[in-house]
Amino acid sequence: MASKSSETMAFYDIAMRPPIASNCSAPNPWKARLALNFKDIAYSTTWVPLPEIAQVRRDLGVPAGRKFGDGTDFYTLPILVDPKTNSKVGDSFDIAVYLQKTYPATGAGDLFPPQKLDFVFNPDSALLVPLSERTESEHADYSHFNTHVDAAFTAHTVLMAYNLPFEPNTAEASKAEFVRRARVSSWDDFEVQGEQREKIKESFCRTLGDLGKLFLRDTSGPFLLGQQASYADLIVGGWLHMMRGTLPSDEWEEARGWHGGIFGRLYDGLEKYTQVK
Ligand SMILES: N[C@@H](CCC(=O)N[C@@H](CS)C(=O)NCC(=O)O)C(=O)O
């Protein structure tokens, strides 16, 4: 989309270790980046170190969109600021809805084409940090899918947390915050190896098998609707980017090949929407 620089949108993502373009790995900002690129929007990224997210969000006047288990506010990214409409949107799903509504005809078209998104995942135990609560019903089927995909991947992030490529200047503070949230005694408690790791990988593979079934309804392309990508593919794609950035590389290669390579093909199919700007 041709756009003057004063109209360039500001997109806020979490700073990671340089080179940032290959290390940014937060799934919800990734969903929004994929949606911005899908819509061919002019934007520029502001990289926020993890310990500064709350302040940045407060300074922008965007309320917290998530709560910790104890009910206190959890300040998160992404945020998108659109100077053209004076809008500030602080949730990845809301960003996709906003882009579709405000810029319906740009880029690759409709982010929310009708389709059946009947994936359900109910975690065995409560997630460490509850997901955002959503009450609105706009694109309710996609919103439901987003919640269940988030739950499915979040239940297995113990495989990924230890390898998060933290930004060096704030790595210690970030790790300390994760230790506090998980109520463990040290960062090394996040390392999961051996038999325990294999068991969690099996569960992850099984869970992705259930999700993968939806991709087998139309095998004319890598997306749920075959050759037509939609926001549902970008939701899964956001998590695949977290996996790529945080799993040991042999495990990422293994996961790409699970269930006949469904997720490797999806990751590659979304490549055209992965520019980090
Ligand atoms: N429902 C929100 C959730 C956003 C969220 O959880 N963001 C994570 C990164 S994926 C975050 O900002 N974490 C900051 C932290 O862990 O301190 C959305 O979809 O935007």
Side-chain angles (χ1 to χ4, degrees), residues 142-153:
Y142 277 77
S143 176
H144 177 267
F145 181 74
N146 186 47
T147 300
H148 283 265
V149 169
D150 281 358
F153 281 87

Side-chain angles (χ1 to χ4, degrees), residues 13-14 25-32 50-51 53-54 57 65-66 68 74-79 89-95 129-134 146 150 174 177-178 181 231 239 242:
D13 190 357
I14 304 175
S25 35
N28 289 301
W30 258 111
K31 295 175 197 172
L50 194 122
I53 295 173
R57 203 164 164 118
R66 221 171 146 177
F68 289 111
F74 178 18
Y75 291 89
T76 60
L77 295 180
I79 297 173
V89 192
D91 177 278
S92 58
F93 193 84
D94 294 339
I95 288 172
V129 180
L131 301 173
S132 298
E133 281 185 19
R134 303 192 61 85
N146 186 47
D150 281 358
S174 303
E177 172 59 8
F178 275 65
R181 286 179 197 169
Y231 189 59
W239 283 104
M242 176 165 189

